[in-house]
PDB file of all heavy atoms in Angstrom:
ATOM      1  N   GLN A  26      -4.619  18.352 102.065  1.00 51.00           N
ATOM      2  CA  GLN A  26      -3.308  17.856 102.404  1.00 51.00           C
ATOM      3  C   GLN A  26      -2.326  18.963 102.749  1.00 51.00           C
ATOM      4  O   GLN A  26      -2.215  19.910 102.041  1.00 51.00           O
ATOM      5  CB  GLN A  26      -2.730  17.031 101.190  1.00 51.00           C
ATOM      6  CG  GLN A  26      -3.522  15.766 100.961  1.00 51.00           C
ATOM      7  CD  GLN A  26      -2.864  14.954  99.834  1.00 51.00           C
ATOM      8  OE1 GLN A  26      -1.949  15.358  99.195  1.00 51.00           O
ATOM      9  NE2 GLN A  26      -3.437  13.741  99.617  1.00 51.00           N
ATOM     10  N   GLN A  27      -1.655  18.803 103.898  1.00 48.00           N
ATOM     11  CA  GLN A  27      -0.669  19.841 104.357  1.00 48.00           C
ATOM     12  C   GLN A  27       0.580  19.790 103.496  1.00 48.00           C
ATOM     13  O   GLN A  27       1.256  20.741 103.323  1.00 48.00           O
ATOM     14  CB  GLN A  27      -0.318  19.560 105.819  1.00 48.00           C
ATOM     15  CG  GLN A  27      -1.474  19.749 106.762  1.00 48.00           C
ATOM     16  CD  GLN A  27      -1.790  21.199 106.917  1.00 48.00           C
ATOM     17  OE1 GLN A  27      -0.936  22.059 106.874  1.00 48.00           O
ATOM     18  NE2 GLN A  27      -3.063  21.481 107.158  1.00 48.00           N
ATOM     19  N   GLN A  28       0.969  18.629 102.991  1.00 47.00           N
ATOM     20  CA  GLN A  28       2.227  18.507 102.290  1.00 47.00           C
ATOM     21  C   GLN A  28       2.021  17.601 101.119  1.00 47.00           C
ATOM     22  O   GLN A  28       1.579  16.478 101.237  1.00 47.00           O
ATOM     23  CB  GLN A  28       3.297  17.938 103.235  1.00 47.00           C
ATOM     24  CG  GLN A  28       4.692  17.863 102.609  1.00 47.00           C
ATOM     25  CD  GLN A  28       5.719  17.434 103.580  1.00 47.00           C
ATOM     26  OE1 GLN A  28       5.437  17.417 104.784  1.00 47.00           O
ATOM     27  NE2 GLN A  28       6.867  17.070 103.109  1.00 47.00           N
ATOM     28  N   GLY A  29       2.304  18.016  99.920  1.00 46.00           N
ATOM     29  CA  GLY A  29       2.148  17.243  98.737  1.00 46.00           C
ATOM     30  C   GLY A  29       3.483  16.820  98.187  1.00 46.00           C
ATOM     31  O   GLY A  29       4.538  17.032  98.755  1.00 46.00           O
ATOM     32  N   GLY A  30       3.463  16.241  97.008  1.00 46.00           N
ATOM     33  CA  GLY A  30       4.691  15.775  96.376  1.00 46.00           C
ATOM     34  C   GLY A  30       5.367  16.883  95.550  1.00 46.00           C
ATOM     35  O   GLY A  30       6.439  16.638  95.014  1.00 46.00           O
ATOM     36  N   GLY A  31       4.733  18.087  95.413  1.00 47.00           N
ATOM     37  CA  GLY A  31       5.365  19.125  94.590  1.00 47.00           C
ATOM     38  C   GLY A  31       5.674  20.343  95.453  1.00 47.00           C
ATOM     39  O   GLY A  31       6.425  20.265  96.379  1.00 47.00           O
ATOM     40  N   TRP A  32       5.120  21.487  95.109  1.00 45.00           N
ATOM     41  CA  TRP A  32       5.435  22.719  95.805  1.00 45.00           C
ATOM     42  C   TRP A  32       4.883  22.712  97.229  1.00 45.00           C
ATOM     43  O   TRP A  32       3.831  22.132  97.513  1.00 45.00           O
ATOM     44  CB  TRP A  32       4.777  23.926  95.097  1.00 45.00           C
ATOM     45  CG  TRP A  32       5.462  24.212  93.782  1.00 45.00           C
ATOM     46  CD1 TRP A  32       5.305  23.549  92.611  1.00 45.00           C
ATOM     47  CD2 TRP A  32       6.415  25.206  93.513  1.00 45.00           C
ATOM     48  NE1 TRP A  32       6.068  24.087  91.604  1.00 45.00           N
ATOM     49  CE2 TRP A  32       6.787  25.118  92.175  1.00 45.00           C
ATOM     50  CE3 TRP A  32       7.005  26.224  94.338  1.00 45.00           C
ATOM     51  CZ2 TRP A  32       7.699  25.968  91.597  1.00 45.00           C
ATOM     52  CZ3 TRP A  32       7.943  27.105  93.709  1.00 45.00           C
ATOM     53  CH2 TRP A  32       8.263  26.956  92.387  1.00 45.00           C
ATOM     54  N   THR A  33       5.608  23.405  98.160  1.00 45.00           N
ATOM     55  CA  THR A  33       5.130  23.613  99.535  1.00 45.00           C
ATOM     56  C   THR A  33       4.838  25.061  99.743  1.00 45.00           C
ATOM     57  O   THR A  33       5.713  25.911  99.477  1.00 45.00           O
ATOM     58  CB  THR A  33       6.223  23.150 100.547  1.00 45.00           C
ATOM     59  OG1 THR A  33       6.493  21.781 100.322  1.00 45.00           O
ATOM     60  CG2 THR A  33       5.679  23.382 101.984  1.00 45.00           C
ATOM     61  N   LEU A  34       3.626  25.349 100.178  1.00 44.00           N
ATOM     62  CA  LEU A  34       3.225  26.761 100.289  1.00 44.00           C
ATOM     63  C   LEU A  34       3.987  27.431 101.435  1.00 44.00           C
ATOM     64  O   LEU A  34       4.137  26.844 102.518  1.00 44.00           O
ATOM     65  CB  LEU A  34       1.737  26.895 100.541  1.00 44.00           C
ATOM     66  CG  LEU A  34       0.840  26.365  99.403  1.00 44.00           C
ATOM     67  CD1 LEU A  34      -0.631  26.441  99.798  1.00 44.00           C
ATOM     68  CD2 LEU A  34       1.076  27.197  98.107  1.00 44.00           C
ATOM     69  N   PRO A  35       4.482  28.641 101.257  1.00 46.00           N
ATOM     70  CA  PRO A  35       5.208  29.405 102.325  1.00 46.00           C
ATOM     71  C   PRO A  35       4.242  29.781 103.419  1.00 46.00           C
ATOM     72  O   PRO A  35       3.043  29.940 103.192  1.00 46.00           O
ATOM     73  CB  PRO A  35       5.751  30.607 101.600  1.00 46.00           C
ATOM     74  CG  PRO A  35       4.872  30.808 100.456  1.00 46.00           C
ATOM     75  CD  PRO A  35       4.449  29.482  99.975  1.00 46.00           C
ATOM     76  N   ASP A  36       4.776  29.945 104.606  1.00 49.00           N
ATOM     77  CA  ASP A  36       3.968  30.354 105.769  1.00 49.00           C
ATOM     78  C   ASP A  36       3.927  31.824 105.878  1.00 49.00           C
ATOM     79  O   ASP A  36       4.811  32.486 106.269  1.00 49.00           O
ATOM     80  CB  ASP A  36       4.631  29.777 107.018  1.00 49.00           C
ATOM     81  CG  ASP A  36       3.777  30.039 108.285  1.00 49.00           C
ATOM     82  OD1 ASP A  36       2.623  30.527 108.071  1.00 49.00           O
ATOM     83  OD2 ASP A  36       4.276  29.790 109.363  1.00 49.00           O
ATOM     84  N   PHE A  37       2.725  32.378 105.409  1.00 43.00           N
ATOM     85  CA  PHE A  37       2.579  33.840 105.415  1.00 43.00           C
ATOM     86  C   PHE A  37       1.851  34.346 106.663  1.00 43.00           C
ATOM     87  O   PHE A  37       1.745  35.489 106.940  1.00 43.00           O
ATOM     88  CB  PHE A  37       1.766  34.291 104.181  1.00 43.00           C
ATOM     89  CG  PHE A  37       2.520  34.111 102.905  1.00 43.00           C
ATOM     90  CD1 PHE A  37       2.119  33.114 102.012  1.00 43.00           C
ATOM     91  CD2 PHE A  37       3.634  34.852 102.618  1.00 43.00           C
ATOM     92  CE1 PHE A  37       2.770  32.933 100.822  1.00 43.00           C
ATOM     93  CE2 PHE A  37       4.314  34.670 101.435  1.00 43.00           C
ATOM     94  CZ  PHE A  37       3.861  33.704 100.514  1.00 43.00           C
ATOM     95  N   GLY A  38       1.242  33.457 107.376  1.00 47.00           N
ATOM     96  CA  GLY A  38       0.479  33.928 108.559  1.00 47.00           C
ATOM     97  C   GLY A  38       1.386  34.162 109.765  1.00 47.00           C
ATOM     98  O   GLY A  38       2.046  33.347 110.108  1.00 47.00           O
ATOM     99  N   GLY A  39       1.420  35.028 110.511  1.00 48.00           N
ATOM    100  CA  GLY A  39       2.412  35.299 111.604  1.00 48.00           C
ATOM    101  C   GLY A  39       2.343  34.259 112.696  1.00 48.00           C
ATOM    102  O   GLY A  39       1.901  34.530 113.805  1.00 48.00           O
ATOM    103  N   GLY A  40       2.884  33.122 112.383  1.00 45.00           N
ATOM    104  CA  GLY A  40       2.969  32.098 113.431  1.00 45.00           C
ATOM    105  C   GLY A  40       4.085  32.375 114.422  1.00 45.00           C
ATOM    106  O   GLY A  40       4.836  33.261 114.258  1.00 45.00           O
ATOM    107  N   ASN A  41       4.241  31.627 115.467  1.00 48.00           N
ATOM    108  CA  ASN A  41       5.266  31.736 116.489  1.00 48.00           C
ATOM    109  C   ASN A  41       6.562  31.109 116.005  1.00 48.00           C
ATOM    110  O   ASN A  41       6.807  29.946 116.218  1.00 48.00           O
ATOM    111  CB  ASN A  41       4.780  31.077 117.805  1.00 48.00           C
ATOM    112  CG  ASN A  41       5.707  31.432 118.937  1.00 48.00           C
ATOM    113  OD1 ASN A  41       6.762  32.001 118.732  1.00 48.00           O
ATOM    114  ND2 ASN A  41       5.257  31.063 120.159  1.00 48.00           N
ATOM    115  N   ARG A  42       7.379  31.907 115.364  1.00 43.00           N
ATOM    116  CA  ARG A  42       8.576  31.407 114.705  1.00 43.00           C
ATOM    117  C   ARG A  42       9.630  30.991 115.759  1.00 43.00           C
ATOM    118  O   ARG A  42      10.428  30.123 115.504  1.00 43.00           O
ATOM    119  CB  ARG A  42       9.103  32.395 113.740  1.00 43.00           C
ATOM    120  CG  ARG A  42       8.135  32.684 112.592  1.00 43.00           C
ATOM    121  CD  ARG A  42       8.675  33.697 111.600  1.00 43.00           C
ATOM    122  NE  ARG A  42       7.716  33.928 110.557  1.00 43.00           N
ATOM    123  CZ  ARG A  42       7.895  34.852 109.593  1.00 43.00           C
ATOM    124  NH1 ARG A  42       8.964  35.585 109.572  1.00 43.00           N
ATOM    125  NH2 ARG A  42       6.995  34.990 108.662  1.00 43.00           N
ATOM    126  N   THR A  43       9.712  31.722 116.867  1.00 45.00           N
ATOM    127  CA  THR A  43      10.759  31.440 117.860  1.00 45.00           C
ATOM    128  C   THR A  43      10.478  30.104 118.551  1.00 45.00           C
ATOM    129  O   THR A  43      11.378  29.400 118.961  1.00 45.00           O
ATOM    130  CB  THR A  43      10.754  32.508 118.966  1.00 45.00           C
ATOM    131  OG1 THR A  43       9.413  32.797 119.340  1.00 45.00           O
ATOM    132  CG2 THR A  43      11.512  33.732 118.515  1.00 45.00           C
ATOM    133  N   SER A  44       9.182  29.707 118.663  1.00 46.00           N
ATOM    134  CA  SER A  44       8.851  28.417 119.307  1.00 46.00           C
ATOM    135  C   SER A  44       9.004  27.239 118.375  1.00 46.00           C
ATOM    136  O   SER A  44       9.033  26.122 118.869  1.00 46.00           O
ATOM    137  CB  SER A  44       7.428  28.452 119.852  1.00 46.00           C
ATOM    138  OG  SER A  44       6.510  28.595 118.800  1.00 46.00           O
ATOM    139  N   ASP A  45       9.115  27.527 117.057  1.00 47.00           N
ATOM    140  CA  ASP A  45       9.237  26.430 116.133  1.00 47.00           C
ATOM    141  C   ASP A  45      10.231  26.728 115.023  1.00 47.00           C
ATOM    142  O   ASP A  45       9.911  26.823 113.857  1.00 47.00           O
ATOM    143  CB  ASP A  45       7.846  26.105 115.507  1.00 47.00           C
ATOM    144  CG  ASP A  45       7.842  24.724 114.856  1.00 47.00           C
ATOM    145  OD1 ASP A  45       8.819  24.018 114.936  1.00 47.00           O
ATOM    146  OD2 ASP A  45       6.771  24.377 114.296  1.00 47.00           O
ATOM    147  N   ARG A  46      11.475  27.004 115.466  1.00 44.00           N
ATOM    148  CA  ARG A  46      12.518  27.458 114.504  1.00 44.00           C
ATOM    149  C   ARG A  46      12.900  26.392 113.518  1.00 44.00           C
ATOM    150  O   ARG A  46      13.245  26.644 112.410  1.00 44.00           O
ATOM    151  CB  ARG A  46      13.747  27.951 115.285  1.00 44.00           C
ATOM    152  CG  ARG A  46      13.477  29.200 116.115  1.00 44.00           C
ATOM    153  CD  ARG A  46      14.702  29.736 116.756  1.00 44.00           C
ATOM    154  NE  ARG A  46      14.437  30.940 117.477  1.00 44.00           N
ATOM    155  CZ  ARG A  46      15.382  31.608 118.137  1.00 44.00           C
ATOM    156  NH1 ARG A  46      16.598  31.206 118.104  1.00 44.00           N
ATOM    157  NH2 ARG A  46      15.028  32.720 118.783  1.00 44.00           N
ATOM    158  N   ARG A  47      12.872  25.168 114.006  1.00 44.00           N
ATOM    159  CA  ARG A  47      13.259  24.094 113.126  1.00 44.00           C
ATOM    160  C   ARG A  47      12.271  23.976 111.969  1.00 44.00           C
ATOM    161  O   ARG A  47      12.696  23.847 110.826  1.00 44.00           O
ATOM    162  CB  ARG A  47      13.269  22.776 113.905  1.00 44.00           C
ATOM    163  CG  ARG A  47      14.397  22.699 114.915  1.00 44.00           C
ATOM    164  CD  ARG A  47      14.394  21.294 115.578  1.00 44.00           C
ATOM    165  NE  ARG A  47      15.422  21.219 116.555  1.00 44.00           N
ATOM    166  CZ  ARG A  47      15.685  20.127 117.286  1.00 44.00           C
ATOM    167  NH1 ARG A  47      14.903  19.039 117.107  1.00 44.00           N
ATOM    168  NH2 ARG A  47      16.673  20.096 118.143  1.00 44.00           N
ATOM    169  N   THR A  48      11.045  24.165 112.259  1.00 45.00           N
ATOM    170  CA  THR A  48      10.015  24.129 111.168  1.00 45.00           C
ATOM    171  C   THR A  48      10.223  25.264 110.199  1.00 45.00           C
ATOM    172  O   THR A  48      10.152  25.136 109.037  1.00 45.00           O
ATOM    173  CB  THR A  48       8.603  24.158 111.783  1.00 45.00           C
ATOM    174  OG1 THR A  48       8.474  23.052 112.694  1.00 45.00           O
ATOM    175  CG2 THR A  48       7.573  24.063 110.707  1.00 45.00           C
ATOM    176  N   SER A  49      10.430  26.493 110.795  1.00 45.00           N
ATOM    177  CA  SER A  49      10.648  27.680 109.986  1.00 45.00           C
ATOM    178  C   SER A  49      11.872  27.573 109.093  1.00 45.00           C
ATOM    179  O   SER A  49      11.858  27.921 107.917  1.00 45.00           O
ATOM    180  CB  SER A  49      10.728  28.929 110.856  1.00 45.00           C
ATOM    181  OG  SER A  49      10.979  30.055 110.072  1.00 45.00           O
ATOM    182  N   SER A  50      12.976  27.047 109.680  1.00 43.00           N
ATOM    183  CA  SER A  50      14.225  26.883 108.941  1.00 43.00           C
ATOM    184  C   SER A  50      14.032  25.912 107.809  1.00 43.00           C
ATOM    185  O   SER A  50      14.507  26.117 106.687  1.00 43.00           O
ATOM    186  CB  SER A  50      15.341  26.416 109.862  1.00 43.00           C
ATOM    187  OG  SER A  50      16.500  26.150 109.133  1.00 43.00           O
ATOM    188  N   ARG A  51      13.299  24.804 108.132  1.00 42.00           N
ATOM    189  CA  ARG A  51      13.099  23.796 107.083  1.00 42.00           C
ATOM    190  C   ARG A  51      12.254  24.336 105.960  1.00 42.00           C
ATOM    191  O   ARG A  51      12.539  24.080 104.778  1.00 42.00           O
ATOM    192  CB  ARG A  51      12.351  22.582 107.732  1.00 42.00           C
ATOM    193  CG  ARG A  51      12.274  21.376 106.854  1.00 42.00           C
ATOM    194  CD  ARG A  51      11.982  20.131 107.658  1.00 42.00           C
ATOM    195  NE  ARG A  51      10.819  20.238 108.508  1.00 42.00           N
ATOM    196  CZ  ARG A  51      10.897  20.230 109.840  1.00 42.00           C
ATOM    197  NH1 ARG A  51      12.081  20.128 110.423  1.00 42.00           N
ATOM    198  NH2 ARG A  51       9.796  20.345 110.555  1.00 42.00           N
ATOM    199  N   ARG A  52      11.238  25.182 106.297  1.00 44.00           N
ATOM    200  CA  ARG A  52      10.407  25.793 105.233  1.00 44.00           C
ATOM    201  C   ARG A  52      11.230  26.785 104.417  1.00 44.00           C
ATOM    202  O   ARG A  52      11.059  26.882 103.209  1.00 44.00           O
ATOM    203  CB  ARG A  52       9.188  26.453 105.837  1.00 44.00           C
ATOM    204  CG  ARG A  52       8.180  25.510 106.440  1.00 44.00           C
ATOM    205  CD  ARG A  52       7.100  26.269 107.138  1.00 44.00           C
ATOM    206  NE  ARG A  52       6.100  25.335 107.707  1.00 44.00           N
ATOM    207  CZ  ARG A  52       5.147  25.665 108.535  1.00 44.00           C
ATOM    208  NH1 ARG A  52       5.067  26.951 108.903  1.00 44.00           N
ATOM    209  NH2 ARG A  52       4.287  24.813 108.982  1.00 44.00           N
ATOM    210  N   SER A  53      12.113  27.576 105.120  1.00 42.00           N
ATOM    211  CA  SER A  53      12.976  28.540 104.384  1.00 42.00           C
ATOM    212  C   SER A  53      13.913  27.824 103.418  1.00 42.00           C
ATOM    213  O   SER A  53      14.131  28.282 102.300  1.00 42.00           O
ATOM    214  CB  SER A  53      13.789  29.376 105.412  1.00 42.00           C
ATOM    215  OG  SER A  53      14.653  30.237 104.720  1.00 42.00           O
ATOM    216  N   TYR A  54      14.440  26.681 103.882  1.00 39.00           N
ATOM    217  CA  TYR A  54      15.326  25.924 103.028  1.00 39.00           C
ATOM    218  C   TYR A  54      14.568  25.429 101.803  1.00 39.00           C
ATOM    219  O   TYR A  54      15.095  25.460 100.673  1.00 39.00           O
ATOM    220  CB  TYR A  54      15.916  24.747 103.836  1.00 39.00           C
ATOM    221  CG  TYR A  54      16.718  23.819 102.944  1.00 39.00           C
ATOM    222  CD1 TYR A  54      17.970  24.137 102.525  1.00 39.00           C
ATOM    223  CD2 TYR A  54      16.182  22.589 102.575  1.00 39.00           C
ATOM    224  CE1 TYR A  54      18.710  23.281 101.739  1.00 39.00           C
ATOM    225  CE2 TYR A  54      16.887  21.730 101.783  1.00 39.00           C
ATOM    226  CZ  TYR A  54      18.197  22.084 101.368  1.00 39.00           C
ATOM    227  OH  TYR A  54      18.893  21.216 100.590  1.00 39.00           O
ATOM    228  N   GLN A  55      13.345  24.988 102.021  1.00 43.00           N
ATOM    229  CA  GLN A  55      12.569  24.493 100.902  1.00 43.00           C
ATOM    230  C   GLN A  55      12.289  25.612  99.883  1.00 43.00           C
ATOM    231  O   GLN A  55      12.363  25.405  98.699  1.00 43.00           O
ATOM    232  CB  GLN A  55      11.260  23.912 101.389  1.00 43.00           C
ATOM    233  CG  GLN A  55      11.459  22.584 102.158  1.00 43.00           C
ATOM    234  CD  GLN A  55      10.125  22.118 102.794  1.00 43.00           C
ATOM    235  OE1 GLN A  55       9.197  22.886 102.842  1.00 43.00           O
ATOM    236  NE2 GLN A  55      10.143  20.887 103.221  1.00 43.00           N
ATOM    237  N   ARG A  56      11.996  26.863 100.428  1.00 42.00           N
ATOM    238  CA  ARG A  56      11.730  27.975  99.493  1.00 42.00           C
ATOM    239  C   ARG A  56      12.988  28.332  98.691  1.00 42.00           C
ATOM    240  O   ARG A  56      12.908  28.606  97.512  1.00 42.00           O
ATOM    241  CB  ARG A  56      11.314  29.208 100.282  1.00 42.00           C
ATOM    242  CG  ARG A  56       9.827  29.114 100.820  1.00 42.00           C
ATOM    243  CD  ARG A  56       9.298  30.432 101.241  1.00 42.00           C
ATOM    244  NE  ARG A  56      10.074  31.015 102.358  1.00 42.00           N
ATOM    245  CZ  ARG A  56       9.810  30.801 103.584  1.00 42.00           C
ATOM    246  NH1 ARG A  56       8.809  30.002 103.934  1.00 42.00           N
ATOM    247  NH2 ARG A  56      10.541  31.340 104.554  1.00 42.00           N
ATOM    248  N   GLN A  57      14.199  28.378  99.331  1.00 47.00           N
ATOM    249  CA  GLN A  57      15.461  28.701  98.616  1.00 47.00           C
ATOM    250  C   GLN A  57      15.704  27.634  97.566  1.00 47.00           C
ATOM    251  O   GLN A  57      16.105  27.946  96.480  1.00 47.00           O
ATOM    252  CB  GLN A  57      16.599  28.741  99.615  1.00 47.00           C
ATOM    253  CG  GLN A  57      16.485  29.947 100.571  1.00 47.00           C
ATOM    254  CD  GLN A  57      17.569  29.875 101.667  1.00 47.00           C
ATOM    255  OE1 GLN A  57      18.398  28.983 101.642  1.00 47.00           O
ATOM    256  NE2 GLN A  57      17.472  30.775 102.632  1.00 47.00           N
ATOM    257  N   THR A  58      15.520  26.461  97.915  1.00 48.00           N
ATOM    258  CA  THR A  58      15.770  25.383  96.992  1.00 48.00           C
ATOM    259  C   THR A  58      14.888  25.523  95.762  1.00 48.00           C
ATOM    260  O   THR A  58      15.357  25.343  94.642  1.00 48.00           O
ATOM    261  CB  THR A  58      15.555  24.011  97.654  1.00 48.00           C
ATOM    262  OG1 THR A  58      16.408  23.941  98.767  1.00 48.00           O
ATOM    263  CG2 THR A  58      15.897  22.879  96.721  1.00 48.00           C
ATOM    264  N   VAL A  59      13.681  25.830  95.974  1.00 45.00           N
ATOM    265  CA  VAL A  59      12.752  26.011  94.846  1.00 45.00           C
ATOM    266  C   VAL A  59      13.124  27.188  93.987  1.00 45.00           C
ATOM    267  O   VAL A  59      13.105  27.127  92.741  1.00 45.00           O
ATOM    268  CB  VAL A  59      11.333  26.098  95.384  1.00 45.00           C
ATOM    269  CG1 VAL A  59      10.363  26.459  94.250  1.00 45.00           C
ATOM    270  CG2 VAL A  59      10.885  24.796  96.044  1.00 45.00           C
ATOM    271  N   THR A  60      13.479  28.310  94.651  1.00 47.00           N
ATOM    272  CA  THR A  60      13.831  29.493  93.922  1.00 47.00           C
ATOM    273  C   THR A  60      15.076  29.311  93.057  1.00 47.00           C
ATOM    274  O   THR A  60      15.098  29.689  91.892  1.00 47.00           O
ATOM    275  CB  THR A  60      14.056  30.659  94.876  1.00 47.00           C
ATOM    276  OG1 THR A  60      12.898  30.829  95.725  1.00 47.00           O
ATOM    277  CG2 THR A  60      14.351  31.976  94.131  1.00 47.00           C
ATOM    278  N   GLU A  61      16.092  28.689  93.686  1.00 50.00           N
ATOM    279  CA  GLU A  61      17.313  28.449  92.950  1.00 50.00           C
ATOM    280  C   GLU A  61      17.076  27.539  91.770  1.00 50.00           C
ATOM    281  O   GLU A  61      17.583  27.722  90.669  1.00 50.00           O
ATOM    282  CB  GLU A  61      18.358  27.874  93.895  1.00 50.00           C
ATOM    283  CG  GLU A  61      18.864  28.858  94.936  1.00 50.00           C
ATOM    284  CD  GLU A  61      19.865  28.186  95.881  1.00 50.00           C
ATOM    285  OE1 GLU A  61      20.063  26.971  95.748  1.00 50.00           O
ATOM    286  OE2 GLU A  61      20.427  28.940  96.698  1.00 50.00           O
ATOM    287  N   ALA A  62      16.257  26.526  91.941  1.00 48.00           N
ATOM    288  CA  ALA A  62      16.028  25.580  90.913  1.00 48.00           C
ATOM    289  C   ALA A  62      15.295  26.294  89.737  1.00 48.00           C
ATOM    290  O   ALA A  62      15.615  26.057  88.563  1.00 48.00           O
ATOM    291  CB  ALA A  62      15.127  24.421  91.415  1.00 48.00           C
ATOM    292  N   ALA A  63      14.395  27.202  90.050  1.00 48.00           N
ATOM    293  CA  ALA A  63      13.703  27.890  88.972  1.00 48.00           C
ATOM    294  C   ALA A  63      14.611  28.823  88.198  1.00 48.00           C
ATOM    295  O   ALA A  63      14.574  28.856  86.953  1.00 48.00           O
ATOM    296  CB  ALA A  63      12.553  28.678  89.574  1.00 48.00           C
ATOM    297  N   ILE A  64      15.503  29.484  88.937  1.00 50.00           N
ATOM    298  CA  ILE A  64      16.393  30.422  88.226  1.00 50.00           C
ATOM    299  C   ILE A  64      17.425  29.707  87.386  1.00 50.00           C
ATOM    300  O   ILE A  64      17.754  30.142  86.304  1.00 50.00           O
ATOM    301  CB  ILE A  64      17.054  31.415  89.225  1.00 50.00           C
ATOM    302  CG1 ILE A  64      15.954  32.250  89.916  1.00 50.00           C
ATOM    303  CG2 ILE A  64      18.120  32.260  88.582  1.00 50.00           C
ATOM    304  CD1 ILE A  64      16.466  33.159  91.002  1.00 50.00           C
ATOM    305  N   LYS A  65      17.898  28.549  87.947  1.00 49.00           N
ATOM    306  CA  LYS A  65      18.858  27.787  87.132  1.00 49.00           C
ATOM    307  C   LYS A  65      18.241  27.296  85.872  1.00 49.00           C
ATOM    308  O   LYS A  65      18.919  27.247  84.842  1.00 49.00           O
ATOM    309  CB  LYS A  65      19.350  26.610  87.966  1.00 49.00           C
ATOM    310  CG  LYS A  65      20.301  27.059  89.115  1.00 49.00           C
ATOM    311  CD  LYS A  65      20.718  25.825  89.942  1.00 49.00           C
ATOM    312  CE  LYS A  65      21.686  26.274  91.073  1.00 49.00           C
ATOM    313  NZ  LYS A  65      22.057  25.116  91.908  1.00 49.00           N
ATOM    314  N   SER A  66      16.979  26.979  85.918  1.00 50.00           N
ATOM    315  CA  SER A  66      16.302  26.530  84.695  1.00 50.00           C
ATOM    316  C   SER A  66      16.219  27.645  83.691  1.00 50.00           C
ATOM    317  O   SER A  66      16.421  27.471  82.503  1.00 50.00           O
ATOM    318  CB  SER A  66      14.910  26.074  85.041  1.00 50.00           C
ATOM    319  OG  SER A  66      14.175  25.761  83.920  1.00 50.00           O
TER     320      SER A  66
END
């Protein structure tokens, strides 16, 4: 499964970020949200 109900794995492989910025931005937002939630805890 590409997307589960919990954590979303970050994209570490050098994909074409300029051609899919919306996807990259959405993944970055998901990582920030997860990081902030962990630190707040």
